[in-house]
Amino acid sequence: MLEAKGVTIRFGGLTAVDHVDMVVRDHKITGLIGPNGAGKTTFFNCISGVYKPNEGSVIFDGKHIEGKKPYQICDAGISRTYQVINLFWNMTAIENVMVGMHPRLKSTFLTDLFKTPAVRAEERAAREKAYEWLKFVGLEKYANEPAGALPYGGQRLLEIVRGLASDAKILLLDEPVAGMNTKEKAEFDGLLQEILKKGVTILMVEHDMELVMGICDYLYVLEYGKLLAEGVPDEIQKHPEVIRAYLGGE
């Protein structure tokens, strides 16, 4: 579904991502791991259109997307979350989800201005669909609460479901369980399996190794912007270079 070929990103004299190749397989959970500063989020920013690679290509559903704007990449079917939660804090939970649905709505500036019957019908349908998405992650009781009033774990889930509401084909999760407690992490594991059942592919950056090794189908490891290793979790856990990168030795 998604393939990166020789992706390189430089900031002045610093090479943050250095000729990285990666394949994200359909309907699987692919993990991207590595020590702090390895270039994981920078790589995510390249895929989602925040940065344009200096070299290499990113191919999604058979089409080149490197250099496209973030909204164009979202329209194509790629959504993402962020390390630091990025919600519309003063809008309600259901309104946040409706924002995620915006790329799929048909109304225009003029039809919105005059509130035509078609616009009102579409808005009602969008609100109902948004409520169903909130139920999917167990947040329906917060539907009319400001996003800033939700508990931390709920805010994380709201950001994920906002991404899903755009009819994403692939969801990029940047440290999705950061700050979650043990119970929330266990529930999140189950949620990812339900997301896969909806036909959504997942690429995830995460530092929680227990979670990553338990749910990812395939892993890529970055170190200093370069691809250090790739393989299934059992292979990565035993890989001597990965152990060195994380622990400094045996």
Side-chain angles (χ1 to χ4, degrees):
M1 179 170 284
L2 180 71
E3 184 176 7
K5 295 181 177 180
V7 168
T8 301
I9 303 172
R10 300 186 185 94
F11 301 107
L14 172 67
T15 302
V17 177
D18 192 354
H19 295 89
V20 170
D21 296 332
M22 180 181 295
V23 174
V24 178
R25 294 155 180 82
D26 293 8
H27 309 137
K28 301 290 185 182
I29 301 177
T30 301
L32 178 60
I33 65 174
N36 288 329
K40 304 182 296 297
T41 295
T42 303
F43 184 79
F44 256 36
N45 285 338
C46 176
I47 294 174
S48 59
V50 177
Y51 301 141
K52 180 180 179 180
N54 298 97
E55 296 177 30
S57 59
V58 182
I59 302 167
F60 175 63
D61 262 359
K63 298 178 181 178
H64 285 265
I65 61 171
E66 69 274 6
K68 289 191 178 296
K69 302 293 185 184
Y71 76 88
Q72 294 172 317
I73 291 174
C74 180
D75 287 350
I78 298 178
S79 280
R80 67 166 297 178
T81 64
Y82 296 83
Q83 280 180 305
V84 178
I85 298 173
N86 189 13
L87 295 168
F88 299 100
W89 299 107
N90 294 322
M91 294 171 66
T92 64
I94 200 167
E95 287 170 343
N96 268 270
V97 179
M98 291 175 72
V99 168
M101 298 169 67
H102 179 75
R104 309 302 173 206
L105 302 181
K106 298 177 181 178
S107 61
T108 64
F109 172 76
L110 285 177
T111 57
D112 280 344
L113 185 65
F114 293 105
K115 287 291 181 183
T116 64
V119 167
R120 292 197 296 271
E122 185 178 54
E123 187 172 335
R124 283 195 300 272
R127 185 170 288 272
E128 291 171 4
K129 181 66 174 176
Y131 186 78
E132 290 302 311
W133 276 117
L134 289 174
K135 284 182 67 176
F136 176 68
V137 294
L139 293 179
E140 67 273 19
K141 66 181 179 181
Y142 298 109
N144 297 310
E145 296 290 330
L150 270 64
Y152 180 84
Q155 292 173 355
R156 283 278 178 196
L157 293 178
L158 181 58
E159 191 175 38
I160 290 170
V161 81
R162 183 181 61 185
L164 290 171
S166 68
D167 287 341
K169 297 175 184 177
I170 182 168
L171 190 60
L172 310 180
L173 302 177
D174 196 350
E175 298 194 32
V177 301
M180 285 189 180
N181 60 39
T182 303
K183 180 175 181 293
E184 289 169 336
K185 288 179 182 180
E187 293 171 348
F188 181 75
D189 188 340
L191 173 63
L192 289 188
Q193 299 306 319
E194 292 302 313
I195 291 173
L196 288 179
K197 290 177 184 178
K198 288 185 173 292
V200 179
T201 299
I202 297 171
L203 173 61
M204 179 171 64
V205 166
E206 183 52 60
H207 283 291
D208 188 314
M209 288 298 101
E210 183 177 359
L211 177 75
V212 165
M213 296 299 171
I215 65 174
C216 287
D217 299 289
Y218 200 82
L219 292 168
Y220 290 87
V221 187
L222 291 184
E223 184 185 32
Y224 299 119
K226 294 184 177 182
L227 186 62
L228 179 67
E230 64 174 280
V232 298
D234 282 348
E235 294 171 336
I236 295 300
Q237 289 184 78
K238 300 170 185 175
H239 197 292
E241 288 302 303
V242 176
I243 294 171
R244 177 197 55 76
Y246 273 98
L247 303 176
E250 291 262 344

Coordinates of all heavy atoms in Angstrom, one line a residue, residues 69-134:
K69 N 0.9 18.4 -0.9 CA 0.5 19.1 0.3 C -0.2 18.2 1.3 O -0.7 17.2 0.9 CB -0.4 20.3 0.0 CG 0.1 21.3 -1.0 CD 1.2 22.1 -0.4 CE 1.7 23.2 -1.3 NZ 2.9 23.9 -0.8
P70 N -0.1 18.5 2.6 CA -0.7 17.6 3.6 C -2.2 17.3 3.3 O -2.7 16.2 3.4 CB -0.5 18.3 4.9 CG 0.8 19.1 4.7 CD 0.7 19.5 3.3
Y71 N -3.0 18.3 2.9 CA -4.4 18.1 2.6 C -4.6 17.2 1.4 O -5.6 16.4 1.4 CB -5.1 19.4 2.5 CG -4.9 20.1 1.1 CD1 -5.8 19.8 0.0 CD2 -3.9 21.1 0.9 CE1 -5.6 20.5 -1.2 CE2 -3.7 21.7 -0.3 CZ -4.6 21.4 -1.3 OH -4.4 22.0 -2.5
Q72 N -3.7 17.2 0.5 CA -3.8 16.4 -0.7 C -3.5 14.9 -0.3 O -4.2 14.0 -0.8 CB -2.8 16.8 -1.8 CG -3.2 18.2 -2.4 CD -2.1 18.7 -3.4 OE1 -0.9 18.5 -3.1 NE2 -2.5 19.2 -4.5
I73 N -2.6 14.7 0.6 CA -2.2 13.4 1.0 C -3.4 12.8 1.9 O -3.7 11.7 1.8 CB -0.9 13.4 1.8 CG1 0.2 13.7 0.8 CG2 -0.6 12.1 2.5 CD1 1.6 13.9 1.4
C74 N -4.0 13.7 2.7 CA -5.1 13.3 3.5 C -6.3 12.9 2.6 O -6.9 11.9 2.8 CB -5.6 14.4 4.4 SG -7.0 14.0 5.5
D75 N -6.5 13.7 1.6 CA -7.6 13.4 0.6 C -7.3 12.0 -0.1 O -8.3 11.3 -0.4 CB -7.7 14.5 -0.5 CG -8.3 15.8 0.1 OD1 -8.9 15.7 1.2 OD2 -8.3 16.8 -0.7
A76 N -6.1 11.7 -0.3 CA -5.7 10.4 -1.0 C -6.0 9.2 -0.1 O -6.1 8.1 -0.6 CB -4.2 10.5 -1.4
G77 N -6.0 9.5 1.3 CA -6.3 8.4 2.2 C -5.3 8.1 3.3 O -5.3 7.0 3.9
I78 N -4.4 9.1 3.6 CA -3.5 8.9 4.6 C -3.8 9.9 5.7 O -3.8 11.1 5.5 CB -2.0 9.1 4.1 CG1 -1.7 8.1 3.1 CG2 -1.0 9.0 5.3 CD1 -0.3 8.3 2.5
S79 N -4.0 9.4 6.9 CA -4.3 10.3 8.1 C -3.2 10.0 9.2 O -2.6 8.9 9.2 CB -5.6 10.1 8.7 OG -6.6 10.8 8.0
R80 N -3.0 10.9 10.1 CA -2.0 10.7 11.1 C -2.4 11.4 12.4 O -3.3 12.2 12.5 CB -0.7 11.4 10.6 CG -0.7 12.9 10.5 CD 0.7 13.5 10.4 NE 1.5 13.2 11.6 CZ 2.8 13.6 11.7 NH1 3.4 14.2 10.8 NH2 3.4 13.3 12.8
T81 N -1.7 10.9 13.5 CA -1.8 11.6 14.8 C -0.4 12.1 15.1 O 0.6 11.9 14.3 CB -2.2 10.6 15.9 OG1 -1.2 9.6 16.0 CG2 -3.5 9.9 15.5
Y82 N -0.2 12.8 16.2 CA 1.0 13.5 16.5 C 1.5 13.1 17.9 O 0.7 12.6 18.8 CB 0.8 15.0 16.5 CG 0.4 15.5 15.1 CD1 -0.9 15.5 14.7 CD2 1.4 16.0 14.3 CE1 -1.2 15.9 13.4 CE2 1.1 16.5 13.0 CZ -0.2 16.4 12.6 OH -0.5 16.9 11.3
Q83 N 2.8 13.2 18.1 CA 3.4 13.0 19.4 C 2.7 13.8 20.5 O 2.4 13.3 21.6 CB 4.9 13.3 19.4 CG 5.8 12.3 18.8 CD 7.3 12.7 18.8 OE1 7.6 13.8 18.4 NE2 8.1 11.9 19.4
V84 N 2.6 15.1 20.2 CA 1.8 16.0 21.1 C 0.4 16.1 20.6 O 0.2 16.4 19.4 CB 2.5 17.4 21.1 CG1 1.7 18.3 22.0 CG2 4.0 17.3 21.6
I85 N -0.5 15.8 21.4 CA -1.9 15.7 21.0 C -2.3 17.0 20.3 O -2.1 18.1 20.9 CB -2.9 15.4 22.2 CG1 -2.5 14.1 22.8 CG2 -4.3 15.5 21.8 CD1 -3.3 13.7 24.1
N86 N -3.0 17.0 19.2 CA -3.3 18.1 18.4 C -4.8 18.1 18.0 O -5.2 17.8 16.9 CB -2.4 18.1 17.1 CG -2.5 19.3 16.3 OD1 -3.0 20.3 16.7 ND2 -2.0 19.2 15.1
L87 N -5.6 18.6 19.0 CA -7.0 18.6 18.8 C -7.5 20.1 18.7 O -6.7 21.0 19.0 CB -7.7 17.9 19.9 CG -7.5 16.4 20.1 CD1 -8.0 15.9 21.4 CD2 -8.2 15.7 18.9
F88 N -8.7 20.3 18.3 CA -9.4 21.6 18.4 C -10.0 21.7 19.8 O -11.1 21.2 20.0 CB -10.4 21.8 17.3 CG -9.8 21.7 15.9 CD1 -9.9 20.5 15.2 CD2 -9.1 22.8 15.4 CE1 -9.4 20.4 13.9 CE2 -8.6 22.7 14.1 CZ -8.7 21.5 13.4
W89 N -9.3 22.3 20.7 CA -9.6 22.1 22.1 C -10.9 22.7 22.5 O -11.6 22.1 23.4 CB -8.5 22.7 23.0 CG -7.1 22.1 22.7 CD1 -6.1 22.6 22.0 CD2 -6.7 20.7 23.1 NE1 -5.0 21.7 22.0 CE2 -5.4 20.5 22.6 CE3 -7.4 19.7 23.8 CZ2 -4.7 19.4 22.8 CZ3 -6.7 18.5 24.0 CH2 -5.4 18.4 23.5
N90 N -11.3 23.8 21.9 CA -12.6 24.4 22.3 C -13.8 23.9 21.6 O -14.9 24.3 21.9 CB -12.5 25.9 22.2 CG -11.5 26.6 23.1 OD1 -11.3 26.1 24.2 ND2 -10.7 27.5 22.6
M91 N -13.6 23.0 20.6 CA -14.7 22.4 20.0 C -15.0 21.1 20.7 O -14.2 20.5 21.4 CB -14.3 22.0 18.5 CG -14.1 23.3 17.7 SD -13.4 22.9 16.0 CE -14.7 22.0 15.3
T92 N -16.3 20.6 20.5 CA -16.7 19.4 21.2 C -16.0 18.2 20.6 O -15.5 18.3 19.4 CB -18.2 19.2 21.2 OG1 -18.6 19.1 19.8 CG2 -18.9 20.4 21.8
A93 N -16.1 17.1 21.2 CA -15.6 15.8 20.7 C -16.2 15.5 19.4 O -15.5 15.1 18.4 CB -15.8 14.7 21.7
I94 N -17.5 15.6 19.3 CA -18.2 15.2 18.0 C -17.8 16.2 16.9 O -17.7 15.8 15.8 CB -19.7 15.1 18.2 CG1 -20.4 14.3 17.1 CG2 -20.4 16.5 18.4 CD1 -21.8 13.9 17.4
E95 N -17.6 17.5 17.2 CA -17.2 18.4 16.2 C -15.8 18.1 15.7 O -15.5 18.3 14.5 CB -17.3 19.9 16.8 CG -18.7 20.4 17.0 CD -18.8 21.7 17.8 OE1 -17.8 22.0 18.5 OE2 -19.8 22.3 17.7
N96 N -14.9 17.7 16.6 CA -13.6 17.3 16.2 C -13.6 16.2 15.2 O -12.9 16.2 14.2 CB -12.7 16.9 17.4 CG -11.9 18.0 18.0 OD1 -10.8 18.3 17.6 ND2 -12.5 18.7 18.9
V97 N -14.5 15.2 15.4 CA -14.6 14.1 14.5 C -15.2 14.6 13.2 O -14.8 14.1 12.1 CB -15.5 13.0 15.1 CG1 -15.7 11.8 14.1 CG2 -14.9 12.4 16.4
M98 N -16.2 15.5 13.2 CA -16.8 16.0 12.0 C -15.7 16.8 11.2 O -15.8 16.8 9.9 CB -18.0 16.9 12.3 CG -19.2 16.1 12.9 SD -20.5 17.2 13.4 CE -21.1 17.8 11.8
V99 N -14.8 17.4 11.8 CA -13.7 18.1 11.1 C -12.9 17.0 10.3 O -12.5 17.2 9.1 CB -12.8 18.8 12.0 CG1 -11.5 19.3 11.3 CG2 -13.5 20.1 12.6
G100 N -12.7 15.9 10.9 CA -12.0 14.8 10.2 C -12.7 14.3 9.0 O -12.1 13.8 8.0
M101 N -14.1 14.4 9.0 CA -14.9 14.0 7.9 C -15.0 15.0 6.8 O -15.4 14.6 5.7 CB -16.3 13.7 8.4 CG -16.4 12.6 9.5 SD -18.0 12.5 10.3 CE -19.0 11.9 8.9
H102 N -14.5 16.2 7.0 CA -14.6 17.2 6.0 C -14.2 16.9 4.6 O -14.9 17.3 3.6 CB -13.9 18.5 6.5 CG -14.0 19.7 5.6 ND1 -15.2 20.4 5.4 CD2 -13.1 20.2 4.7 CE1 -14.9 21.4 4.5 NE2 -13.7 21.2 4.1
P103 N -13.0 16.2 4.4 CA -12.6 15.9 3.0 C -13.6 15.1 2.2 O -13.6 15.1 1.0 CB -11.3 15.1 3.2 CG -10.8 15.5 4.5 CD -12.1 15.7 5.4
R104 N -14.5 14.4 2.9 CA -15.5 13.5 2.2 C -16.9 14.2 2.1 O -17.8 13.6 1.5 CB -15.7 12.2 3.0 CG -14.4 11.5 3.3 CD -13.6 11.2 2.0 NE -12.2 10.7 2.4 CZ -11.2 10.8 1.6 NH1 -11.3 11.4 0.5 NH2 -10.0 10.3 2.0
L105 N -17.1 15.4 2.6 CA -18.3 16.1 2.5 C -18.4 16.9 1.1 O -17.4 17.3 0.6 CB -18.5 17.1 3.6 CG -18.5 16.4 5.0 CD1 -18.7 17.5 6.1 CD2 -19.5 15.3 5.1
K106 N -19.6 17.1 0.6 CA -19.8 17.6 -0.7 C -20.2 19.1 -0.7 O -20.3 19.7 -1.7 CB -20.9 16.8 -1.4 CG -20.6 15.4 -1.6 CD -21.7 14.6 -2.3 CE -21.3 13.1 -2.5 NZ -22.5 12.4 -3.1
S107 N -20.5 19.6 0.5 CA -21.0 21.0 0.6 C -19.8 22.0 0.2 O -18.7 21.7 0.3 CB -21.4 21.4 2.0 OG -20.4 21.2 2.9
T108 N -20.2 23.2 -0.3 CA -19.3 24.2 -0.7 C -19.5 25.4 0.1 O -20.5 25.5 0.9 CB -19.5 24.5 -2.2 OG1 -20.8 25.1 -2.4 CG2 -19.4 23.3 -3.1
F109 N -18.7 26.5 -0.1 CA -18.8 27.7 0.6 C -20.2 28.3 0.4 O -20.9 28.7 1.4 CB -17.8 28.7 0.2 CG -18.0 30.1 0.8 CD1 -17.7 30.3 2.1 CD2 -18.5 31.1 0.0 CE1 -17.9 31.6 2.6 CE2 -18.7 32.4 0.5 CZ -18.4 32.6 1.9
L110 N -20.7 28.3 -0.8 CA -22.0 28.9 -1.1 C -23.2 28.1 -0.5 O -24.1 28.7 0.0 CB -22.2 29.1 -2.7 CG -21.4 30.2 -3.3 CD1 -21.6 30.2 -4.8 CD2 -21.8 31.5 -2.7
T111 N -23.1 26.8 -0.7 CA -24.2 26.0 -0.1 C -24.2 26.1 1.4 O -25.3 26.1 2.0 CB -24.1 24.5 -0.5 OG1 -22.8 24.0 -0.2 CG2 -24.2 24.4 -2.1
D112 N -23.0 26.2 2.0 CA -23.0 26.4 3.5 C -23.5 27.7 3.9 O -24.2 27.9 4.9 CB -21.5 26.3 4.0 CG -21.0 24.9 4.1 OD1 -21.9 24.0 4.1 OD2 -19.8 24.6 4.2
L113 N -23.2 28.7 3.0 CA -23.7 30.1 3.3 C -25.2 30.2 3.4 O -25.8 30.9 4.3 CB -23.1 31.1 2.3 CG -23.4 32.6 2.5 CD1 -22.7 33.0 3.8 CD2 -22.9 33.4 1.3
F114 N -25.9 29.5 2.4 CA -27.3 29.6 2.4 C -28.0 28.4 3.1 O -29.3 28.4 3.1 CB -27.7 29.6 0.9 CG -27.3 30.9 0.2 CD1 -26.3 30.9 -0.7 CD2 -28.0 32.1 0.4 CE1 -25.9 32.1 -1.3 CE2 -27.6 33.3 -0.2 CZ -26.5 33.3 -1.1
K115 N -27.3 27.5 3.7 CA -27.8 26.4 4.5 C -29.0 25.7 3.7 O -30.1 25.7 4.1 CB -28.4 26.9 5.8 CG -27.3 27.3 6.8 CD -26.6 26.0 7.3 CE -25.5 26.3 8.3 NZ -24.8 25.1 8.7
T116 N -28.6 25.3 2.5 CA -29.6 24.6 1.7 C -30.1 23.3 2.3 O -29.4 22.8 3.2 CB -29.0 24.3 0.3 OG1 -28.0 23.3 0.5 CG2 -28.5 25.5 -0.4
P117 N -31.3 22.8 1.9 CA -31.7 21.5 2.5 C -30.7 20.4 2.4 O -30.6 19.6 3.3 CB -33.0 21.2 1.7 CG -33.5 22.6 1.3 CD -32.3 23.4 1.0
A118 N -30.0 20.4 1.3 CA -29.0 19.3 1.1 C -27.9 19.5 2.1 O -27.4 18.5 2.6 CB -28.4 19.4 -0.4
V119 N -27.5 20.7 2.4 CA -26.4 20.9 3.4 C -26.9 20.5 4.7 O -26.1 19.8 5.5 CB -26.0 22.4 3.4 CG1 -25.1 22.7 4.6 CG2 -25.2 22.7 2.1
R120 N -28.1 20.9 5.1 CA -28.6 20.5 6.4 C -28.7 19.0 6.6 O -28.4 18.4 7.6 CB -30.0 21.1 6.7 CG -29.9 22.7 6.8 CD -31.2 23.2 7.4 NE -32.3 23.0 6.6 CZ -32.8 23.8 5.6 NH1 -32.1 24.9 5.4 NH2 -33.8 23.5 4.9
A121 N -29.1 18.3 5.5 CA -29.2 16.8 5.5 C -27.8 16.2 5.6 O -27.7 15.2 6.4 CB -29.9 16.3 4.3
E122 N -26.9 16.7 4.9 CA -25.5 16.2 5.0 C -24.9 16.4 6.4 O -24.3 15.5 6.9 CB -24.7 16.9 3.9 CG -23.3 16.3 3.8 CD -22.4 16.9 2.8 OE1 -22.3 18.2 2.8 OE2 -21.8 16.2 1.9
E123 N -25.2 17.6 7.0 CA -24.7 17.8 8.3 C -25.3 16.9 9.3 O -24.6 16.4 10.2 CB -25.0 19.3 8.7 CG -24.3 19.7 10.0 CD -24.4 21.2 10.3 OE1 -24.6 22.0 9.3 OE2 -24.3 21.5 11.5
R124 N -26.6 16.6 9.2 CA -27.2 15.7 10.1 C -26.6 14.3 10.0 O -26.3 13.6 11.0 CB -28.7 15.6 9.9 CG -29.5 16.8 10.4 CD -31.0 16.5 10.4 NE -31.5 16.1 9.1 CZ -32.0 17.0 8.2 NH1 -32.0 18.3 8.6 NH2 -32.4 16.7 7.1
A125 N -26.4 13.9 8.7 CA -25.8 12.6 8.5 C -24.4 12.5 9.0 O -24.0 11.5 9.6 CB -25.8 12.2 7.0
A126 N -23.6 13.6 8.8 CA -22.2 13.6 9.3 C -22.2 13.6 10.8 O -21.3 12.9 11.4 CB -21.6 14.9 8.8
R127 N -23.1 14.2 11.5 CA -23.2 14.2 13.0 C -23.5 12.8 13.5 O -22.9 12.3 14.4 CB -24.2 15.2 13.5 CG -24.2 15.4 15.0 CD -25.1 16.6 15.4 NE -24.4 17.8 15.1 CZ -23.5 18.4 15.9 NH1 -23.2 17.9 17.1 NH2 -23.0 19.6 15.6
E128 N -24.4 12.1 12.8 CA -24.8 10.8 13.2 C -23.6 9.8 13.0 O -23.3 9.0 13.8 CB -26.0 10.3 12.4 CG -27.3 11.0 12.7 CD -28.4 10.7 11.8 OE1 -28.2 9.8 10.9 OE2 -29.5 11.3 11.9
K129 N -22.9 10.0 11.9 CA -21.7 9.2 11.6 C -20.6 9.4 12.6 O -20.0 8.5 13.1 CB -21.2 9.4 10.2 CG -20.0 8.6 9.7 CD -20.4 7.1 9.6 CE -19.2 6.3 9.1 NZ -19.5 4.9 9.1
A130 N -20.4 10.7 12.9 CA -19.4 11.1 13.9 C -19.7 10.4 15.3 O -18.8 10.0 16.0 CB -19.3 12.6 14.0
Y131 N -21.0 10.4 15.6 CA -21.4 9.8 16.9 C -21.0 8.3 16.9 O -20.6 7.7 17.9 CB -22.8 10.0 17.2 CG -23.3 9.5 18.5 CD1 -23.0 10.3 19.7 CD2 -24.0 8.3 18.7 CE1 -23.4 9.8 20.9 CE2 -24.4 7.9 19.9 CZ -24.1 8.6 21.0 OH -24.5 8.2 22.3
E132 N -21.3 7.7 15.7 CA -20.9 6.2 15.6 C -19.4 6.0 15.8 O -19.0 5.0 16.4 CB -21.4 5.7 14.3 CG -22.9 5.6 14.2 CD -23.5 4.7 15.2 OE1 -23.0 3.6 15.4 OE2 -24.5 5.1 15.9
W133 N -18.6 6.9 15.2 CA -17.2 6.8 15.4 C -16.8 6.9 16.9 O -15.9 6.2 17.4 CB -16.5 7.8 14.6 CG -16.2 7.5 13.1 CD1 -16.7 8.1 12.0 CD2 -15.4 6.4 12.7 NE1 -16.3 7.4 10.9 CE2 -15.5 6.4 11.3 CE3 -14.7 5.4 13.3 CZ2 -14.8 5.4 10.5 CZ3 -14.0 4.5 12.5 CH2 -14.1 4.5 11.1
L134 N -17.4 7.9 17.6 CA -17.2 8.0 19.0 C -17.5 6.8 19.8 O -16.8 6.3 20.7 CB -17.9 9.2 19.6 CG -17.4 10.6 19.1 CD1 -18.3 11.7 19.6 CD2 -16.0 10.9 19.6

